[in-house]
Structures are given as structure tokens and as C-alpha cells.
Amino acid sequence: MYVLLKTSKGDIVLELDSKNAPETTENFVQYVKDGHYDGTIFHRVIKDFMIQGGGMDAQMKERPTRAPIMNEADNGLKNNKYTIAMARTSDPDSATSQFFINTNDNDFLNFKSQTIQGWGYAVFGKVVSGSEVVDSIEVVPTTRRFPHDDVPVEPVVIEKAEILEDYTPAK
């Protein structure tokens, strides 16, 4: 399954991995179908690490979410460059709507063990088109908007997220 993120910086197409991350993919797709991501921003951007979004609007107001999902980070998928994973708190099973796209190979985010420190972050797909858009977002100037660090000075908006029924990735 493919999802298009139409952003103020350009389009990103994600290929979701429902085989290895079924609950995470289903959760993300339901947020897409609900229009939850439309008008949210990439609110946390750290060069050589990741771009995070899916939870706040341009005024940094958090959107309401459904209940958290189970962490599927033990699915064998790795937090490599251009993969998408679920953001969460220190509780491994706390992911709701926020996600991040890795802009580096972030091995330290991978599953190591079923402990609080070892759970890692669940990868559930990858960027198949628009990596140059991810790269452009990664380097935007950031600031602090209390209590948040690494917030883009100019909002990078996810204008619309939609499921692509008939998408064929370029070879």
C-alpha cells in the first residue's frame, strides 16, 4: 500500500509494510483515512537524524488521537535512511499518530530486547518517491517554541495525506 504526503515542500510517497508491521500500518492508514494528517506540520526536524510530524498544527496545537498501539519494533525492519517509523514516549507501547522519517541510518533506534530501553521504534514503511523533499525538510532552519526544540522557523505543512490506489513505483 502506498500513501502520498503532499507537503508545502513537495510530495513524498511512502510504501507501507503491512506484512511486517500490520497493526502499525493499519493505525497509520486509519489516520490517513480520517484526514488527521491534513494540515499538520513536521514539528521536529533534526539534521542527520529525522523529521517528525503527524501530531500538531502550525500553531503547535496537538491534535486528538485514538488509543496508543502495541510496539511492533521487533518486526525485523531497521531504522535506516528514508524509512518511516512511529514516534512514541518512553513507554514502548505509546505510539498514536506521530511518525518520523529517518534521514540517516539510526541503528540506535532499532529493537534490541523486550525491555523499556531495548524496544526501539517500529518501522512500518519507506520513502519510494520524494527523498529529495525529505532532504529539503531536513535542512530547514529551526528554533525553540517552548516547550519544543527543533521546530522549523517556517512551518512545513502536510497539506494532505492520501492513499494511492493505483500507484506503481518507478524502477
Side-chain angles (χ1 to χ4, degrees), residues 4 8 15 23 39 55 60-62 64 68 71-72 76-77 88 91 94 108 110-111 118-119 126 137 163 168:
L4 170 65
S8 55
E15 179 180 19
E23 186 172 342
M60 297 296 288
K61 183 172 181 266
E62 206 158 341
N71 190 326
E72 293 180 307
L77 301 175
R88 62 173 178 79
D91 175 354
S94 62
F108 67 99
N110 293 335
F111 174 83
W119 255 110
K126 63 185 177 185
I137 295 169
I163 295 162
T168 305

Side-chain angles (χ1 to χ4, degrees), residues 22-167:
E23 186 172 342
T24 307
T25 299
E26 182 182 329
N27 176 67
F28 184 79
V29 166
Q30 190 59 55
Y31 279 112
V32 170
K33 287 179 178 176
D34 292 345
H36 176 89
Y37 295 125
D38 301 355
T40 62
I41 61 168
F42 283 98
H43 66 274
R44 186 170 174 234
V45 172
I46 303 174
K47 185 171 175 11
D48 297 321
F49 179 37
M50 59 89 220
I51 61 173
Q52 181 175 334
M56 297 184 189
D57 65 22
Q59 288 70 48
M60 297 296 288
K61 183 172 181 266
E62 206 158 341
R63 294 237 172 126
T65 62
R66 296 189 310 275
I69 59 169
M70 179 187 73
N71 190 326
E72 293 180 307
D74 58 348
N75 62 16
L77 301 175
K78 304 294 182 203
N79 281 278
N80 293 333
K81 189 170 185 171
Y82 301 126
T83 58
I84 183 171
M86 291 307 294
R88 62 173 178 79
T89 67
S90 58
D91 175 354
D93 296 320
S94 62
T96 56
S97 68
Q98 291 189 32
F99 61 87
F100 61 93
I101 298 173
N102 289 289
T103 60
N104 209 343
D105 289 346
N106 293 316
D107 295 340
F108 67 99
L109 299 178
N110 293 335
F111 174 83
K112 291 170 190 60
S113 65
Q114 292 184 355
T115 64
I116 294 287
Q117 297 80 16
W119 255 110
Y121 292 76
V123 172
F124 64 100
K126 63 185 177 185
V127 173
V128 292
S129 177
S131 57
E132 70 285 351
V133 176
V134 173
D135 294 345
S136 73
I137 295 169
E138 176 191 21
V139 296
V140 298
T142 60
T143 188
R144 178 171 172 77
R145 287 183 61 188
F146 187 80
H148 303 281
D149 291 324
D150 309 304
V151 179
V153 172
E154 294 290 323
V156 179
V157 181
I158 298 170
E159 296 163 348
K160 182 148 187 64
E162 59 188 68
I163 295 162
L164 298 176
E165 300 293 343
D166 298 318
Y167 182 78

